[in-house]
Amino acid sequence: MPSADIIDTPRTRPGLVLFAMCLGVLVAQIDTSVVNLGAHAIGAALGLGVSALQWVLDVYNLVYATLLLTGGLLGDLFGRRRIFVIGVAMFALGSLACGLAPDGTVLIAARAITGLGAALLLPASLSILAATYPDAGERAHAIGIWASCNGLAFAIGPTLGGILVTTAGWRSLFFVVVPVAALALLLAIRSVPESADPEGRRLDLPGQGLAMLALGALTLAAIEGNRWGWTSAATLAGLAVGLVAIALFLAVESRTEGALVPLDLFRSPALSGSLIVALAMTFGMYAMLFLIPVYLQTVRGATPIEAGLELLPMSVIFFVVSQFSGRLATRLGPRAPMTAGMALIGAGLLLLAWISAGTGLLYIEAALLVTGVGLGLNTGPVMAVTVSSVPQKRSGTASGLVNTARMVGATLGVAILGAVFAAHGGDVDAPPDRLIAGLGPALLVGGLGECLGAVAALALIRGDALERKAG
């Protein structure tokens, strides 16, 4: 099959393809924002503590992160539309299983299924857009709109989640994505032309296995380290296994033809910089979205609906700014919005690190708005830079890499910052003073991580990073 071969025709309008791909990212992201809002209710209903709730959130992120690279490769090998459709279908089935789960164990297993579905659909959707919009400016604008669906998910998720928890119970949180998934499935089948680019690519099972082992071991040690003890044999063994697996992964990939992660891609400073920025962005953000709803409900006494409404301004400004971030990056170059975006996210989290039981709602909303503007400025350009830093034939791998970086950041953020939170006495059912004592250090570490991402963007992203690389 020739490179970038189109398997079937006719082509449809790019706008319709964009809409279908936006529904795909909406399906994957709305689930996370809804579940974060419902963590308190899920823990109370199923008798789950902070460690178990971390796994409810992180098993999705863990499976998602470790299989994203394979998801992107499968799209290149067997057809991007085919893999997108399979991913959306699996996500819908996993969500149904979550809604019917009788206990925490089943819920965590079902969340793993939804993570697998997301790992298939996300990289396929981004590589489909990269192929649909060959012009750099149009591609950046389209990916900015695609990325803004993260903001739309955050806008819909918390408020809708609060209403559902209050009126229909926590199980309805998982059912809400099913009709969206059905629409995405129908549109993809009818409007997206099938394409593949299998030349020189193959499945890399050793690389995939080592990637899963590395991230799984490190996440297990980070989540359970506070309960096991940070110097216990189990925690140290998890850290050691993770580090050894990383070293073996790099060794295997450097010697493998058609590797899961071709290491020569990292010769591009723009690609390396965009991956660091993507990881740093979600490291602090996902932990904040786990902890702040707990604070709003436990310390401020907000109902789930009220907590969702209090998060809504951040989500709305994220969505609005994201609509223009692609054009801004095309006009000014991507380095300026990415650096400013990461700095603003960091500033917002650092402001939130100082909240207490008596902090006024206006201060909290101002900090959340700063965070939302930063997210809107950064999310679209970081995706566009990544797919523009490699040739078209590597678009599946590039989209897998950037989404892997995002989910590695999310996984480690919830795990590490959740551990910092717990180490300082925080828990979902802790008294307000203990919860605040854990919240401050966790958000402080998250904010500093975002600021390091701003430094990476400033140092590594060039003004011409949106131009497609040849080869």
Side-chain angles (χ1 to χ4, degrees), residues 192-259:
V192 178
E194 185 62 285
S195 66
D197 201 340
E199 185 177 351
R201 311 302 308 282
R202 64 181 183 83
L203 291 177
D204 178 11
L205 296 181
Q208 180 61 73
L210 287 168
M212 294 179 67
L213 178 62
L215 188 58
L218 292 175
T219 302
L220 177 64
I223 289 179
E224 300 294 346
N226 193 63
R227 183 168 64 88
W228 290 344
W230 292 107
T231 58
S232 69
T235 301
L236 293 177
L239 293 173
V241 168
L243 294 174
V244 170
I246 290 174
L248 290 174
F249 175 80
L250 294 174
V252 167
E253 296 301 275
S254 67
R255 294 171 171 81
T256 300
E257 184 179 354

Side-chain angles (χ1 to χ4, degrees), residues 61-444:
N61 295 335
L62 179 61
V63 174
Y64 189 3
T66 55
L67 292 175
L68 270 166
L69 289 171
T70 295
L73 175 60
L74 290 175
D76 288 345
L77 287 174
F78 303 114
R80 293 160 185 139
R81 184 184 67 180
R82 179 178 293 114
I83 296 303
F84 178 85
V85 166
I86 292 172
V88 172
M90 290 191 68
F91 197 98
L93 291 174
S95 297
L96 285 172
C98 287
L100 298 172
D103 53 42
T105 301
V106 175
L107 177 59
I108 290 170
R111 288 279 289 164
I113 295 173
T114 62
L116 175 56
L120 296 177
L121 73 91
L122 253 293
S125 69
L126 187 54
S127 57
I128 286 169
L129 286 182
T132 304
Y133 292 89
D135 177 76
E138 292 180 355
R139 183 171 63 248
H141 180 55
I143 292 176
I145 294 173
W146 177 88
S148 75
C149 287
N150 287 278
L152 182 59
F154 289 141
I156 294 172
T159 305
L160 180 60
I163 294 172
L164 290 173
V165 168
T166 302
T167 61
W170 66 266
R171 296 180 185 279
S172 62
L173 297 173
F174 299 101
F175 297 140
V176 70
V177 301
V178 177
V180 182
L183 180 57
L185 201 65
L186 178 63
L187 281 174
I189 291 171
R190 298 190 57 155
S191 68
V192 178
E194 185 62 285
S195 66
D197 201 340
E199 185 177 351
R201 311 302 308 282
R202 64 181 183 83
L203 291 177
D204 178 11
L205 296 181
Q208 180 61 73
L210 287 168
M212 294 179 67
L213 178 62
L215 188 58
L218 292 175
T219 302
L220 177 64
I223 289 179
E224 300 294 346
N226 193 63
R227 183 168 64 88
W228 290 344
W230 292 107
T231 58
S232 69
T235 301
L236 293 177
L239 293 173
V241 168
L243 294 174
V244 170
I246 290 174
L248 290 174
F249 175 80
L250 294 174
V252 167
E253 296 301 275
S254 67
R255 294 171 171 81
T256 300
E257 184 179 354
L260 180 68
V261 180
L263 298 184
D264 63 294
L265 293 180
F266 294 100
R267 295 172 184 166
S268 165
L271 177 64
S272 299
S274 67
L275 297 180
I276 293 170
V277 170
L279 186 151
M281 177 178 67
T282 54
F283 177 80
M285 276 305 305
Y286 273 68
M288 185 275 284
L289 291 170
F290 171 51
L291 294 173
I292 289 298
V294 175
Y295 163 83
L296 294 173
Q297 294 174 79
T298 301
V299 177
R300 296 185 59 85
T303 66
I305 294 177
E306 290 170 342
L309 290 173
E310 288 165 0
L311 290 171
L312 186 59
M314 176 188 70
S315 307
V316 171
I317 197 67
F318 176 16
F319 178 67
V320 171
V321 173
S322 293
Q323 300 297 309
F324 304 100
S325 64
R327 288 196 176 100
L328 188 64
T330 301
R331 179 175 300 176
L332 301 178
R335 178 166 60 181
M338 288 173 66
T339 302
M342 292 299 295
L344 287 172
I345 298 170
L349 295 192
L350 292 175
L351 289 171
L352 290 171
W354 296 103
I355 61 178
S356 66
T359 300
L361 184 60
L362 184 61
Y363 176 93
I364 296 170
E365 293 298 339
L368 290 172
L369 281 172
V370 170
T371 304
V373 172
L375 280 169
L377 285 173
N378 184 68
T379 303
V382 75
M383 298 293 180
V385 167
T386 303
V387 297
S388 299
S389 299
V390 301
Q392 173 62 44
K393 65 182 181 180
R394 294 283 183 87
S395 64
T397 298
S399 60
L401 280 169
V402 70
N403 283 294
T404 297
R406 290 176 64 249
M407 296 317 300
V408 167
T411 301
L412 295 180
V414 172
I416 294 172
L417 300 187
V420 173
F421 173 69
H424 287 80
D427 202 338
V428 289
D429 293 320
D433 58 336
R434 286 180 54 197
L435 190 146
I436 291 170
L439 185 69
L443 293 179
L444 178 62

